Amino acid sequence: MPLILISNDDGYQAKGLRSLVDMVRHLGDVVVCAPDGPRSGYACAFSATTPLTLTQRHSEEGVEVWSCNGTPVDCVKMALDNLLPRRPDVILGGINHGDNASVNAHYSGTMGVVIEGCMKYIPSVAYSLCDYHEDADFEPLRPYVDRFTRQVLQQGLPQGVCLNVNFPVLGEKDYHGVRVCRMSPGTWYNETTRCEHPRGGHYYWMVGSFRNDAPEATDTDRWALDHGYVAITPTRIDVTATEHLQQIMERFQTPI
């Protein structure tokens, strides 16, 4: 029986995580290790100076749920070292409440989960729905999550590659299909807003607006989502700009 490890950045109680467990539990034994509260925006952060704890939240045949007081990456590390009886066959992140397309992937704790798995050479897939509501409807994702997870369990993924899967907010029958695409270039701007503190001084909220910097490109995740497609972006761990290596070598490298 395959062993599936699941984590997220919305916390172990999030509807998206509970929905994901329900969607894949028929494919194998499921162990959840997720943060004890929201950890959005933690990316690949881990706890270097804070002691970590594990708390079992639920157990039934085929499913165990644990929480950790650390980051999403902490959860993966803790599960691999302390909870799992063996190496998992796949690591799943999500289902995230919100969009992890374009440059959002760099900030995402959900992507932190699968990047950590990928660095451990474990096939890993992140699932996100472009709906930030706590009670978002994840049911239209079910056949896609089943198919994608099943295919990864059966065929694996190239070494050093994980999948970033984003779903637009549509019903199952309204999806136009699935597009495998590149990450859209994008920019966040006006990212802070200043507020008057009632006791004097100021405080700031992180907010911001997103701009698609390649709005005419039809091969990006942003285009796919905006046009009703499920977007799958193969994401590499090796971020070396190989196409520019020679140019940079000529400018900076000195003889040994």
Side-chain angles (χ1 to χ4, degrees):
M1 179 73 80
L3 180 59
I4 302 170
L5 174 61
I6 295 178
S7 191
N8 72 347
D9 67 1
D10 293 312
Y12 77 96
Q13 294 177 310
K15 182 180 179 181
L17 184 144
R18 291 184 280 111
S19 298
L20 180 57
V21 171
D22 186 62
M23 291 175 190
V24 302
R25 61 183 302 170
H26 66 287
L27 298 177
D29 292 326
V30 174
V31 175
V32 172
C33 186
D36 57 10
R39 301 287 193 278
S40 293
Y42 272 64
C44 291
F46 66 93
S47 300
T49 59
T50 303
L52 297 175
T53 60
L54 289 169
T55 303
Q56 188 169 30
R57 301 291 183 172
H58 180 75
S59 180
E60 62 181 87
E61 185 176 358
V63 177
E64 287 187 18
V65 178
W66 294 77
S67 69
C68 174
N69 65 319
T71 71
V73 166
D74 289 334
C75 292
V76 175
K77 293 179 182 292
M78 291 287 281
L80 293 176
D81 283 355
N82 301 285
L83 297 179
L84 300 182
R86 59 181 174 83
R87 184 180 181 85
D89 296 283
V90 69
I91 293 178
L92 304 179
I95 300 171
N96 189 63
H97 292 247
D99 178 350
N100 276 324
S102 186
V103 294
N104 292 345
H106 293 296
Y107 301 107
S108 166
T110 303
M111 283 301 295
V113 167
V114 301
I115 289 172
E116 180 67 20
C118 193
M119 287 194 290
K120 297 288 195 294
Y121 307 109
I122 300 168
S124 301
V125 184
Y127 293 115
S128 302
L129 174 64
C130 300
D131 187 336
Y132 291 89
H133 294 93
E134 289 185 10
D135 197 35
D137 181 12
F138 295 93
E139 194 57 30
L141 284 58
R142 182 179 294 273
Y144 296 92
V145 170
D146 176 271
R147 177 160 66 92
F148 300 157
T149 304
R150 191 187 299 271
Q151 288 179 343
V152 171
L153 281 170
Q154 293 174 349
Q155 301 176 22
L157 288 170
Q159 185 170 301
V161 174
C162 54
L163 300 183
N164 180 15
V165 183
N166 285 273
F167 294 84
V169 184
L170 294 171
E172 175 191 339
K173 295 181 180 178
D174 298 320
Y175 288 131
H176 293 175
V178 177
R179 295 287 289 261
V180 176
C181 40
R182 66 183 174 96
M183 175 190 289
S184 174
T187 306
W188 283 93
Y189 60 96
N190 295 334
E191 294 185 77
T192 62
T193 184
R194 191 171 93 158
C195 305
E196 299 286 339
H197 197 287
R199 297 184 178 179
H202 302 90
Y203 62 94
Y204 298 82
W205 282 107
M206 296 293 294
V207 285
S209 300
F210 177 78
R211 182 182 69 232
N212 181 358
D213 291 332
E216 304 304 319
T218 61
D219 61 343
T220 68
D221 52 8
R222 189 71 268 159
W223 184 94
L225 293 169
D226 289 344
H227 290 80
Y229 291 91
V230 179
I232 300 179
T233 304
T235 302
R236 287 166 41 167
I237 299 303
D238 182 353
V239 296
T240 305
T242 52
E243 67 274 25
H244 299 296
L245 269 177
Q246 187 61 40
Q247 175 190 2
I248 301 301
M249 287 171 62
E250 291 171 0
R251 291 177 58 190
F252 294 102
Q253 187 161 295
T254 57
I256 298 176

